[in-house]
Every structure is written in C-alpha cells, then in structure tokens.
C-alpha cells in the first residue's frame, strides 16, 4: 500500500548563492508578513482578528541565519502565493533547502505497513 508523500517545508535562507547576507535585515519578516492572510481555514477578520504570521509561512533564525519556512501546503491552498515566495527566492538568488515535516513531539508515527507481510 502506497503512503501519500509527507508535506515538505522549504527553507528560504537569507544568504545568496554567492554567499552574501541578504538585505534588508528585516526581509524575512516582510515576506512572511505579506503571506500572513494565507492560512488553513482562510483569513480571519472582525473584532477577534489579530496580526500574526500564517503557520504556512513563518520567519525564523536558524544557526544565526534569517530564514522563511514555507510549508508546501501553501501550494495547495493558494498556488499564486506559493509562486510568489518561490520566485522571490529565485529572483534574489537566495539559497533554498527542502525538508520533510517531522511529527510533533509526543505524537507516535504511524507504523510502516510495507514491513508487515
């Protein structure tokens, strides 16, 4: 039985292909801010709405390097938003790395049924 592929996360790093630090220094917050309305379940409005990043596109500092972590689910939710962040990385010659999502701490992974039988 074939399992569906796990969603991936793409790490857009604030380092150019030439090895230079990308500027301006708040680029990650700006990019993630532009994507803040693209969320599972849609944007929230009204009096209970708050300003925050989408869980599908968040800024982080990893090993001292500013990054934006983009979940592949964004591609399914809004392909044009996915294209925007990927084109941003390409147009600015930023380094990009991919990774698979890991289970949350304390959540048991499903057993692989391939081994059985």
């Amino acid at each position: 039985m074939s399992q569906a592929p796990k969603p991936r996360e793409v790490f857009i790093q604030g380092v150019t292909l030439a090895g230079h630090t990308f500027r301006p220094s708040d680029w990650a917050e700006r990019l993630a801010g532009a994507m803040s309305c693209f969320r599972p379940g849609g944007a929230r409005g009204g009096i209970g709405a708050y300003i925050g990043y989408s869980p599908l596109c968040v800024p982080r500092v990893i090993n001292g390097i500013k990054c934006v972590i983009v979940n592949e689910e964004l591609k399914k939710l809004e392909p044009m938003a996915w294209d925007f962040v990927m084109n941003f990385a390409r147009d600015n010659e930023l380094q990009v790395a991919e990774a698979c999502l890991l289970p949350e701490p304390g959540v048991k992974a499903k057993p692989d049924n391939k081994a059985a039988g």
Side-chain angles (χ1 to χ4, degrees):
M1 183 185 300
S2 174
Q3 291 181 334
K6 293 180 181 177
R8 294 178 305 148
E9 288 181 324
V10 175
F11 293 73
I12 300 173
Q13 301 173 38
V15 177
T16 66
L17 296 173
H20 301 112
T21 300
F22 185 64
R23 298 281 181 230
S25 61
D26 65 344
W27 74 271
E29 292 84 0
R30 289 183 188 199
L31 180 59
M35 297 291 109
S36 65
C37 63
F38 299 106
R39 328 174 150 262
R44 294 171 182 86
I47 198 161
Y50 61 91
I51 297 173
Y53 298 116
S54 166
L56 302 178
C57 187
V58 293
R60 292 283 186 266
V61 175
I62 301 173
N63 294 330
I65 298 172
K66 283 205 172 195
C67 301
V68 172
I69 303 172
V70 187
N71 189 302
E72 191 176 47
E73 289 295 315
L74 181 63
K75 186 190 302 187
K76 295 175 188 167
L77 180 69
E78 183 49 66
M80 288 175 57
W82 173 266
D83 290 344
F84 177 81
V85 294
M86 296 288 82
N87 288 335
F88 177 88
R90 186 196 68 226
D91 293 347
N92 290 290
E93 299 182 347
L94 298 178
Q95 295 182 25
V96 175
E98 296 179 6
C100 288
L101 291 176
L102 297 174
E104 293 293 321
V107 176
K108 290 185 178 181
K110 293 181 182 179
D112 186 359
N113 292 332
K114 291 180 189 175

